[in-house]
Amino acid sequence: MRTAPTILHLDMDAFFASAEQASKPSLRGKPVIVGGLGLRGVVATCSYEARVFGVHSAMPMAQARRLAPNAAYLVPRFGFYRSISEQVMGLLGDLSPLVEPLSLDEAFVDLEAGGAAWDEASARLAGVKLRADIRAVTGLTGSVGLAASKMLAKIASEQAKPDGLVVIEPGSERALLGPMSVRTLPGVGPATGDHLRRAGITTVDEIAEAGEDELVRLLGNAHGHALYAMALARDDRPVVAERETKSVSVEDTYDVDIHDRVRVGLEVQRLADRCVRRLRGAGLSGRTIVLKVRRYDFSTLTRSETLRGPTDDPGVVREAAARLLESVDTTGGVRLLGVGVSGLADYTQEDLFAQAAGELAESEVEEPVPGEPAEVQPTPVERRWPAGHDVRHGEYGHGWVQGSGLGRVTVRFETPDSEPGRVRTFRVDDPELVPADPLPLVPRRPDAPEESEVPEEPAVPPVQVSSVPASLPKSRSGSEGGGATSRP
């Protein structure tokens, strides 16, 4: 195990909610909650202002509304968050070739592998510069933890929240971990935590005192040995640059159970198309198609079918998902549907039979039988305006959806670099109102130098930096986290 604190853990602060506040001046400093806005939606992220009311990630949205009724409730904009994440990950890649992303807003970096740090002083400077660069490029803040292992670096970043940097000094690890809850250690979830509590073990010090043999007896061989080592601050897990993607999947939870078999089938087809778009976006294909169905009684069924070769053909995935659905009884109602693809590869093997069948189906549609009535065209579906998403009006310019319903949509017209904007209401079918792409949080200045002219070491503004003493205050919750939004 290394002795210098050259493992860096970055965690963007309340990422989704902070990105929404940065893009919407009227929401800055106010409680913002991002997630599924339906009756069964859950919180994906909430701002620190919302956490004051007890809201946290994974909380049912209905409970969040009771705790913070006046917060702004927004549907996630994952494409927007992903574009910001790519900027942040690019900055991390400049520090080291060993970057291990854990999610859109969180990653480990081995600074020593990239020559960015070799001791405590150089690691601290790298962390300070990284935070300044993230703010300059994205307009957002991130918290940084530095330590000699991944476990300790993550603990340090939790202590740094929000918008700070904490270094765990070599030699202080055991004293730091001792009084902390057993839930601090990786791999200790609610079930393991309760099991240890019933055995009288609630702190990391008590894990060390119990001894390795007792932990193996309580938790089993692998888990017991690993947990004892971590309690002694031993964590030799390396930073892994690339994690192999095992599967690609999408799923939806419905506010009201779906009983209509035709509707269920249409939803499965829609999910299959979304899954293929995500698959192609990652440059992948797959052999195994998986269908997930959660029924009215919360029982969850999965069905799978393996093809002759990998595919990214939407027709093939739709057909396989439809075949899988035939074996599932949905008469009692469906509350969740999902479609996934596994057995991934970076090449495809065209399914000529499915392709031919698709072409035949198209030709049959194009050449109706003479004398038969023409198929009635479906009524156009009313345009949906998800709360928080970007729009543009021909007269008023760029804005975002504040809420919609009863044939009306309310829009606040403002941009990331404007003052809080005015609110106006339109018909949902107003031809002047159209969806728009998000605006950058930090627009490029017309007089900004070209990228090659940017100084390698820009001036670093003052930042919150601290080292970890022998004991630390209890970690703050750093949890991350769709309908109408209440007006701020």
Side-chain angles (χ1 to χ4, degrees), residues 394-405:
E395 180 179 352
Y396 301 109
H398 192 95
W400 58 277
V401 176
Q402 192 161 277
S404 63

Side-chain angles (χ1 to χ4, degrees), residues 215-236:
L215 289 172
V216 169
R217 187 186 70 80
L218 288 171
L219 304 176
N221 192 52
H223 201 180
H225 287 303
L227 200 59
Y228 182 73
M230 288 185 177
L232 299 181
R234 299 173 189 161
D235 178 19
D236 296 327

Side-chain angles (χ1 to χ4, degrees), residues 144-208:
V144 168
L146 290 158
S149 69
K150 291 167 68 172
M151 176 186 72
L152 293 168
K154 184 171 175 61
I155 290 173
S157 70
E158 283 294 317
Q159 297 297 333
K161 283 185 169 293
D163 191 18
L165 184 153
V166 165
V167 180
I168 295 182
E169 298 173 349
S172 68
E173 296 92 348
R174 289 288 303 277
L176 162 70
L177 285 174
M180 290 186 170
S181 165
V182 295
R183 293 289 305 277
T184 304
L185 300 180
V188 182
T192 302
D194 286 344
H195 193 46
L196 291 171
R197 180 181 53 80
R198 289 194 294 271
I201 300 172
T202 59
T203 67
V204 176
D205 260 345
E206 288 169 344
I207 289 179

Side-chain angles (χ1 to χ4, degrees), residues 112-329:
E112 188 174 355
W118 49 92
D119 58 12
E120 181 181 346
S122 57
R124 188 188 298 271
L125 286 176
V128 169
K129 184 178 184 299
L130 173 64
R131 294 182 58 247
D133 289 346
I134 289 173
R135 187 188 289 272
V137 170
T138 70
L140 304 179
T141 64
S143 295
V144 168
L146 290 158
S149 69
K150 291 167 68 172
M151 176 186 72
L152 293 168
K154 184 171 175 61
I155 290 173
S157 70
E158 283 294 317
Q159 297 297 333
K161 283 185 169 293
D163 191 18
L165 184 153
V166 165
V167 180
I168 295 182
E169 298 173 349
S172 68
E173 296 92 348
R174 289 288 303 277
L176 162 70
L177 285 174
M180 290 186 170
S181 165
V182 295
R183 293 289 305 277
T184 304
L185 300 180
V188 182
T192 302
D194 286 344
H195 193 46
L196 291 171
R197 180 181 53 80
R198 289 194 294 271
I201 300 172
T202 59
T203 67
V204 176
D205 260 345
E206 288 169 344
I207 289 179
E209 291 169 4
E212 192 167 12
D213 292 341
E214 176 66 8
L215 289 172
V216 169
R217 187 186 70 80
L218 288 171
L219 304 176
N221 192 52
H223 201 180
H225 287 303
L227 200 59
Y228 182 73
M230 288 185 177
L232 299 181
R234 299 173 189 161
D235 178 19
D236 296 327
R237 294 174 300 160
V239 175
V240 181
E242 294 184 4
R243 291 171 174 263
E244 182 181 358
T245 302
K246 301 296 184 182
S247 64
V248 174
S249 63
V250 297
E251 62 182 42
D252 275 345
T253 301
Y254 304 98
D255 296 341
V256 179
D257 291 347
I258 303 175
H259 294 82
D260 182 7
R261 183 74 176 188
V262 174
R263 167 81 188 283
V264 172
L266 291 174
E267 288 295 314
V268 168
Q269 300 296 291
R270 183 179 60 82
L271 289 167
D273 288 341
R274 279 177 52 196
C275 183
V276 169
R277 286 197 296 272
R278 183 171 295 183
L279 193 70
R280 287 181 167 181
L284 297 170
S285 61
R287 296 184 64 222
T288 301
I289 314 304
V290 181
L291 175 70
K292 177 179 177 182
V293 180
R294 181 166 298 149
R295 300 189 290 191
Y296 69 99
D297 58 356
F298 286 88
S299 61
T300 302
L301 305 175
T302 57
R303 299 287 185 270
S304 64
E305 175 181 320
T306 299
L307 308 174
R308 292 190 298 275
T311 184
D312 64 353
D313 186 324
V316 174
V317 177
R318 282 197 300 267
E319 291 171 12
R323 287 193 296 270
L324 295 170
L325 180 61
E326 291 174 0
S327 66
V328 179
D329 180 10

Side-chain angles (χ1 to χ4, degrees), residues 444-455:
R444 182 180 176 84
R445 300 191 315 273
D447 60 340
E450 294 298 323
E451 187 172 334
S452 60
E453 300 173 359
V454 177

